[in-house]
Amino acid sequence: MKELIEVIARALVDRPDEVVVTETESDKAIVLELRVAQSDMGKVIGKQGRIAKAIRAVVKAAASREDKKVIVEISNEEA
């Protein structure tokens, strides 16, 4: 899952070297935090959150095989 989000995010942003994905796993859920540069936040979120929703949908479909809930959080590097 982590690699999937990294590939998608790096294709979208202007500064791919600043894309960082951290993964935290518990019994029932996986939390993936995507961090990008402040200037790239709009590109990852998209108009009305459409790109963020699409990323979450793709990750959810990939996670359905593992029977776990996946949560994708998006933040900027300064946060």
Side-chain angles (χ1 to χ4, degrees):
M1 301 298 158
K2 182 178 175 180
E3 295 81 17
L4 176 63
I5 291 180
E6 283 179 354
V7 168
I8 293 170
R10 288 189 177 163
L12 293 170
V13 299
D14 288 333
R15 296 193 217 164
D17 54 318
E18 293 187 31
V19 172
V20 178
V21 179
T22 56
E23 182 174 353
T24 308
E25 190 168 346
S26 66
D27 293 339
K28 297 275 183 179
I30 300 171
V31 178
L32 297 163
E33 184 180 2
L34 170 61
R35 290 180 173 255
V36 296
Q38 178 68 34
S39 60
D40 290 328
M41 283 295 289
K43 292 180 174 141
V44 174
I45 294 172
K47 291 185 179 178
Q48 298 179 354
R50 289 185 182 140
I51 294 174
K53 286 179 188 176
I55 291 171
R56 289 183 176 116
V58 168
V59 171
K60 183 178 178 182
S64 66
R65 294 182 178 198
E66 295 181 19
D67 234 9
K68 289 197 175 192
K69 183 178 178 183
V70 176
I71 300 166
V72 177
E73 297 175 350
I74 302 170
S75 63
N76 60 25
E77 282 293 327
E78 289 83 39

